[in-house]
């Protein structure tokens, strides 16, 4: 089978698609024929070596966490999942960017028939992260929350979940994404110099902040908007947790089949929109990451093996 590999830390050029043996599921595992697997910014940072102290790679390294596909084999002890089932899931060993992936049976949930493959294969990491971030800042009716990177892979889901929690949502994004945000009940605000003033103009008081972008948004939330540290969650600025006492709850907190099934159900019911920016065949993995690196991507970029 074909699978994405890299033999050393580096830029997009270290990525390649190799022929490797098809894996065999062990006890409690299933083999999935992958139909779609999204890419995530964190995967690029791992490949570049920026997160070595937190998530070190071993070489040759595979890549990818999200996936959606069809079960083709089941290991011993697997119950409730059968060959031929369409599933959504995730792996913890960087192996979903491939034609086949072995997945713990505990990490898959049925794919609703109405959910497109590319959307299903985009749900786990971004969905878990958005779900955890919204939960971390304790949103409720009457709250106002600002979200940086509001039209990105995580942000586009977070703003919708925040709206479902009853909050007024301010979305920081470029003008090209303002109509999309308005269509989803979000107040769009352009990022960049003067953003705090534009947020204050949009709402008299901001109670919480979800940072999906990084840079100095944590400082903006604390120092310019006066938001309490316990109501600021960042999925990028891990240093800010110790420095300021903010939260950094994301994928690790949200990852569960219960959350995945909930998100998939919302998509199937037409209550959650997961925008797909582009799809690429597995062999064009470098082009997919080039597109991601450009920034300003609305929603998710997906590999289709």
């Amino acid at each position: 089978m074909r699978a994405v590999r890299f033999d050393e830390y580096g830029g997009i050029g270290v990525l390649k698609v190799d022929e490797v043996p098809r894996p065999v599921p062990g006890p409690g595992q299933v083999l999935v024929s992958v139909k779609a697997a999204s890419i995530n910014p964190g995967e690029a940072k791992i490949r570049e070596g920026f997160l070595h102290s937190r998530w070190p790679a071993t070489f040759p390294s595979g890549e990818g966490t999200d996936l959606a596909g069809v079960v083709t084999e089941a290991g011993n002890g697997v119950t409730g999942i059968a060959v031929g089932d369409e599933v959504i899931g995730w792996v913890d060993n960087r192996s979903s960017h491939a034609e086949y992936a072995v997945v713990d049976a505990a990490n898959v949930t049925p794919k609703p028939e109405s959910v497109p493959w590319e959307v299903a294969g985009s749900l786990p990491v971004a969905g878990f992260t958005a779900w955890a971030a919204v939960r971390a800042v304790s949103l409720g009716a009457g709250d106002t929350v600002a979200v940086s990177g509001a039209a990105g892979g995580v942000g586009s889901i977070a703003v919708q979940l925040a709206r479902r929690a009853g909050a007024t949502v301010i979305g920081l994004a470029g003008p090209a994404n303002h109509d999309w945000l308005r269509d989803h009940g979000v107040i769009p605000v352009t990022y960049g110099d003067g953003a705090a003033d534009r947020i204050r103009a949009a709402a008299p008081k901001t109670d919480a902040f979800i940072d999906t972008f990084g840079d100095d948004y944590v400082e903006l939330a604390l120092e310019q908007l006066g938001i309490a540290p316990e109501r600021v969650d960042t999925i990028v600025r891990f240093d800010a947790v110790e420095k300021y006492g903010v939260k950094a709850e994301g994928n690790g907190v949200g990852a569960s089949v219960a959350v995945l099934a909930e998100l998939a159900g919302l998509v199937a019911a037409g209550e959650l929109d997961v925008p797909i920016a582009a799809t690429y065949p597995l062999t064009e993995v470098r082009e997919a990451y080039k597109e991601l690196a450009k920034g300003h991507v609305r929603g998710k970029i997906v590999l289709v093996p």
Side-chain angles (χ1 to χ4, degrees), residues 20-285:
V20 299
R22 194 169 81 172
V24 177
Q29 297 179 323
V30 294
L31 181 68
V32 175
S33 173
V34 179
K35 300 298 183 184
S38 78
I39 67 175
N40 295 288
E43 292 155 359
K45 291 179 180 179
I46 289 172
R47 182 245 303 151
E48 292 165 345
F50 294 146
L51 299 178
H52 178 79
S53 62
R54 193 177 182 93
W55 293 297
T58 55
F59 303 113
S61 177
E63 187 179 67
T65 300
D66 301 330
L67 62 83
V70 180
V71 175
T72 60
E73 293 182 40
N76 292 334
V78 173
T79 58
I81 304 171
V83 171
D85 284 354
E86 297 183 350
V87 296
I88 312 171
W90 76 97
V91 296
D92 295 316
N93 62 346
R94 303 173 194 159
S95 62
S96 72
H97 293 169
E99 292 179 315
Y100 291 87
V102 165
V103 190
D104 290 342
N107 290 358
V108 300
T109 193
K111 183 187 83 68
E113 185 177 355
S114 62
V115 177
W117 284 115
E118 63 271 21
V119 171
S122 298
L123 270 178
V125 169
F128 294 154
T129 304
W131 182 93
V134 169
R135 175 179 174 271
V137 298
S138 305
L139 296 178
D143 282 333
T144 297
V145 60
V147 180
S148 64
V154 174
S156 60
I157 298 175
V159 295
Q160 296 177 76
L161 296 182
R163 287 278 296 139
R164 289 184 61 80
T168 297
V169 182
I170 297 171
L172 286 152
N177 288 311
H178 284 193
D179 285 345
W180 185 90
L181 290 169
R182 289 190 190 95
D183 289 344
H184 291 79
V186 178
I187 302 169
V189 166
T190 302
Y191 64 85
D193 293 343
D197 290 335
R198 291 190 288 277
I199 291 171
R200 282 189 287 265
K205 184 176 184 294
T206 305
D207 304 287
F209 199 102
I210 296 172
D211 171 34
T212 77
F213 188 82
D215 285 350
D216 59 354
Y217 278 117
V218 169
E219 287 81 3
L220 181 150
L222 298 173
E223 299 166 9
Q224 298 187 56
L225 297 178
I227 299 172
E230 64 270 18
R231 300 204 72 186
V232 176
D233 190 77
T234 178
I235 67 169
V236 184
R237 288 282 307 282
F238 301 117
D239 64 297
V241 176
E242 183 175 353
K243 188 174 182 180
Y244 300 117
V246 302
K247 297 178 178 179
E249 297 183 10
N251 177 56
V253 173
S256 77
V257 289
V259 171
L260 187 55
E262 176 187 340
L263 295 172
L266 290 175
V267 175
E271 298 177 19
L272 178 63
D273 175 23
V274 180
I276 303 300
T279 60
Y280 290 86
L282 192 68
T283 52
E284 294 182 15
V285 61

